[in-house]
Amino acid sequence: MINKALVRVTQRITARSAKTREAYLARMDAARSQTVHRARLACGNLAHGFAACQPDEKNSLKNWVRSDIAIITAYNDMLSAHQPYGLYPQRLKDALKSVGAVGQVAGGVPAMCDGVTQGQDGMELSLMSRDVIAMSAAIGLSHNMFDGALYLGICDKIVPGLVMAALSFGHLPAVFVPAGPMSTGLPNKEKVRVRQLYTEGKVDRQALLEAEAASYHDIGTCTFYGTANTNQMMMEVMGLHLPGASFVPPDCALRDALTGAAARQVTRLTETCGNYQPLGQMVDEKTVVNGIVALLATGGSTNLTLHMVAMARAAGIIINWDDFSELSDAVPLLCRIYPNGPADINQFQAAGGVQQVVRELLKNGLLHHDVNTVAGFGLARYTQEPWLENGVLAWRGAAEHSPDTNVIASVQQPFEHHGGTKVLSGNLGRAVMKTSAVPADNQIIEAPAVVFESQHDIVPAFEAGMLNRDCVVVVRFQGPQANGMPELHKLMPPLGVLMDRGFRVALVTDGRLSGASGKVPSAIHVTPEAFCGGMLAKVRDGDIICVNGRTGELELRVDAGELAERKACQPDLSAEHIGCGRELFSALRSQLSGAEQGACCITFN
């Protein structure tokens, strides 16, 4: 029996999206080819398209029954998560050749790391990079040579951007290919402890660097449950990875087997194989709701409250934060993964991983089971785990219950009866709070505001003792159109120290924090943003603000008449729009929608 709230929200999304979804599916049907897509190309076009191929590949591509599979890669060797992708194209091509298909690297997309750019000017390009990734992938696919696609990407903006592009070419089958997490290093809790000691001046920079390097120490995704690993969780529950593929580590035989299997699987979904399953039909309203449920049940990154909106819109599906909020009331928190708990993503995998979460949600009616996936019809396939039987990839049923209920709980005994994300609203606008990492007694803060226009002013204020009191730190003009909506992780150590000193502290901002906000109660993504006339622009030092993560209240305790008379702050942001390439993005920045609309500059018709 499917949960009533799940049914209600899905029906509401379906009704809301009726016209846009119909138009999208009509567009995808018009793009469909009854034969291989390259058959439409003129001889000169086709010759250019396979000029660099080997002779046997050219012969295959001259054959109208052979599939040509695009490989879109986010490889670079600076990002630990994406470094393994350097070897993937050849592995994928070899696997495709084994089933008579051809693989071509159709294009590369940028992949930046928020961990490198935190607190730096480059962070202001981060969110916009998602839409650039979508457009870059579309350029690669626009050659119209291809019958399916494999997408290589993991981290924060990369997966959402690839999904947006893939859905714009939703007449093609697609499989997303992960690369896995890095091995466990210095525990995340110890890393944060050293950060706070550094903030207090109790350890030096060398000690801080050693701790950071011991935590981020290998290839693969960072092991905390931020946006990168939330992406992987969501993609698997949405049926866009092969079952069990998300958190198998790099450089092991099982990972290599899953990579080859992904390549072979996409060929089975093409038009020429008679089992046509295009991505645009696969990703429907039920699939999107399943993705939201996965986010809530695991306490995932708040970035997905932006990205899911944009991704769904690329498929003609319209969702909003009310959908997240209603589902969050129905979906319990089943996972404790740092920053929601001490376990890292490898401990989560050992505790049963995605298969255990899907099994628990399915048997309690909290996921739509009747959906198409890249592995076939029905989400029950995703309760199985991959393994190697005499070197051959196979799937088997996972354990009925998690072997570590401190990491993955049951629906009957969850960590919280509410999902890990809360939507806040009030006269300051609408916002999102990641409640899963915030202790219950810290989820309600009512205190005087301390207002900043720049994140860089907070550490000096902290060091000067100006924040040694109960307060709500307001960091405004950090929204999409103001400066690209950077993540503000550099604020967490000083605010965490204040909480450890016994002060009641909260953060309110129109910027972002992702999955690493930790224990500080943070109302983020405030919309309308201050730059676009939001009430945050009228807040003054000393105003009382209420942030209530239980009731969803976000209120400025100032008389409405007085607020109407106040002038909004209008700082000069021009200096923040140049340098580090930011001047190249002025046109995109000015077109970004609000946070609840996905902070997107792309218009989907």
Side-chain angles (χ1 to χ4, degrees):
M1 179 70 71
I2 299 293
N3 181 277
K4 291 181 180 179
L6 206 70
V7 173
R8 185 166 57 249
V9 171
T10 306
Q11 290 176 341
R12 185 171 68 222
I13 293 171
T14 301
R16 185 192 301 140
S17 309
K19 291 183 179 179
T20 51
R21 179 65 174 169
E22 181 182 11
Y24 170 79
L25 291 175
R27 184 158 52 94
M28 294 304 103
D29 190 60
R32 177 182 179 182
S33 173
Q34 297 299 321
T35 182
V36 293
H37 283 266
R38 64 187 179 279
R40 297 179 177 181
L41 299 180
C43 292
N45 302 139
L46 185 56
H48 277 82
F50 61 49
C53 291
Q54 297 300 311
D56 59 334
E57 294 172 329
K58 290 182 180 180
N59 288 333
S60 291
L61 293 178
K62 293 175 185 176
N63 186 330
W64 298 148
V65 299
R66 301 287 188 178
S67 292
D68 189 16
I69 303 300
I71 300 169
I72 301 290
T73 179
Y75 164 74
N76 65 49
D77 64 7
M78 186 194 74
L79 270 67
S80 62
H82 290 76
Q83 188 270 357
Y85 283 141
L87 300 174
Y88 273 42
Q90 191 58 52
R91 291 175 180 172
L92 294 168
K93 289 179 180 182
D94 290 345
L96 290 166
K97 187 175 182 179
S98 73
V99 291
V102 174
Q104 292 183 289
V105 176
V109 302
M112 67 180 292
C113 179
D114 293 0
V116 177
T117 57
Q118 285 175 26
Q120 308 298 317
D121 293 345
M123 174 55 85
E124 296 178 12
L125 305 182
S126 173
L127 182 58
M128 287 184 284
S129 77
R130 182 197 64 193
D131 294 18
V132 172
I133 288 162
M135 291 185 278
S136 299
I139 290 171
L141 294 166
S142 68
H143 295 99
N144 205 30
M145 286 277 293
F146 310 110
D147 307 294
L150 295 162
Y151 295 90
L152 314 185
I154 290 177
C155 287
D156 295 13
K157 268 56 67 183
I158 296 110
V159 166
L162 291 176
V163 172
M164 291 160 66
L167 287 168
S168 291
F169 285 79
H171 59 287
L172 297 179
V175 176
F176 289 76
V177 187
M182 71 172 63
S183 58
T184 298
L186 184 74
N188 287 295
K189 188 174 182 179
E190 175 64 13
K191 173 193 65 182
V192 171
R193 185 187 73 84
V194 176
R195 285 180 178 176
Q196 291 193 178
L197 289 174
Y198 177 77
T199 300
E200 294 178 279
K202 295 179 179 178
V203 300
D204 62 14
R205 178 181 171 85
Q206 186 61 35
L208 176 64
L209 180 57
E210 291 300 322
E212 297 286 355
S215 180
Y216 307 115
H217 67 104
D218 201 354
I219 62 171
T221 59
C222 305
T223 59
F224 70 92
Y225 196 44
T227 308
N229 286 323
T230 304
N231 282 340
Q232 303 311 296
M233 171 79 71
M234 177 193 68
M235 294 297 281
E236 188 165 334
V237 178
M238 291 176 71
L240 303 180
H241 285 172
L242 289 181
S246 295
F247 300 122
V248 174
D251 289 345
C252 72
L254 180 57
R255 168 56 66 200
D256 291 345
L258 285 163
T259 300
R264 291 188 293 273
Q265 185 63 16
V266 77
T267 67
R268 299 186 183 107
L269 306 177
T270 60
E271 188 81 61
T272 55
C273 281
N275 185 38
Y276 181 55
Q277 186 60 68
L279 184 72
Q281 290 181 11
M282 184 183 299
V283 176
D284 61 12
E285 294 87 349
K286 291 181 177 180
T287 303
V288 169
V289 168
N290 283 350
I292 297 174
V293 170
L295 169 70
L296 297 170
T298 59
S301 168
T302 50
N303 270 330
L304 273 298
T305 64
L306 304 173
H307 299 323
M308 283 293 292
V309 174
M311 290 158 58
R313 190 64 182 84
I317 298 168
I318 302 172
I319 60 175
N320 59 38
W321 288 350
D322 290 331
D323 302 321
F324 286 82
S325 185
E326 186 169 346
L327 288 170
S328 194
D329 288 336
V331 176
L333 180 66
L334 300 183
C335 298
R336 286 291 191 203
I337 323 169
Y338 189 84
N340 307 335
D344 70 4
I345 202 67
N346 295 312
Q347 291 168 285
F348 167 77
Q349 178 75 350
V354 180
Q355 295 78 34
Q356 187 61 46
V357 173
V358 172
R359 178 187 294 275
E360 192 65 23
L361 292 170
L362 272 179
K363 72 182 182 182
N364 287 280
L366 289 168
L367 285 172
H368 291 291
H369 64 91
D370 53 337
V371 292
N372 286 303
T373 77
V374 298
F377 182 77
L379 202 59
R381 295 170 183 266
Y382 286 77
T383 64
Q384 296 182 315
E385 62 179 1
W387 68 303
L388 293 178
E389 184 176 11
N390 297 321
V392 178
L393 181 63
W395 277 265
R396 61 187 175 188
E400 186 67 27
H401 303 286
S402 172
D404 189 348
T405 55
N406 292 316
V407 179
I408 302 177
S410 67
V411 168
Q412 286 68 39
Q413 293 182 302
F415 296 115
E416 298 286 348
H417 291 282
H418 184 282
T421 302
K422 184 73 174 178
V423 177
L424 312 181
S425 62
N427 63 357
L428 278 175
R430 283 162 66 84
V432 172
M433 178 187 282
K434 182 171 179 175
T435 58
S436 54
V438 180
D441 57 352
N442 286 337
Q443 291 183 13
I444 303 174
I445 306 292
E446 187 163 341
V450 185
V451 183
F452 299 90
E453 265 81 52
S454 170
Q455 61 174 312
H456 303 295
D457 295 334
I458 291 178
V459 170
F462 168 81
E463 292 174 342
M466 296 169 56
L467 301 180
N468 286 330
R469 52 190 163 118
D470 293 354
C471 60
V472 175
V473 174
V474 174
V475 188
R476 60 192 181 189
F477 297 99
Q478 307 298 309
Q481 289 196 26
N483 64 352
M485 204 180 187
E487 291 189 345
L488 306 174
H489 292 313
K490 292 293 185 182
L491 309 186
M492 291 301 100
L495 298 185
V497 169
L498 293 174
M499 292 182 67
D500 290 346
R501 291 175 179 173
F503 299 113
R504 296 185 61 75
V505 179
L507 173 68
V508 175
T509 180
D510 45 12
R512 295 185 294 128
L513 274 175
S514 167
S517 53
K519 64 187 179 183
V520 179
S522 304
I524 61 176
H525 305 175
V526 174
T527 184
E529 63 174 293
F531 185 78
C532 296
M535 191 60 72
L536 274 185
K538 291 190 174 185
V539 178
R540 296 177 180 174
D541 285 337
D543 287 347
I544 302 299
I545 293 178
C546 176
V547 179
N548 192 321
R550 296 184 194 172
T551 64
E553 183 181 11
L554 179 62
E555 198 75 18
L556 178 63
R557 305 287 200 216
V558 176
D559 179 75
E562 180 182 341
L563 284 176
E565 294 296 321
R566 281 189 185 180
K567 284 191 174 182
C569 176
Q570 295 178 320
D572 181 5
L573 301 178
S574 58
E576 297 183 19
H577 294 166
I578 58 174
C580 204
R582 288 176 290 180
E583 61 274 13
L584 302 177
F585 288 77
S586 57
L588 266 66
R589 189 187 309 111
S590 68
Q591 295 300 312
L592 288 172
S593 61
E596 190 167 6
Q597 290 74 46
C600 192
C601 69
I602 297 173
T603 300
F604 298 101
N605 295 316

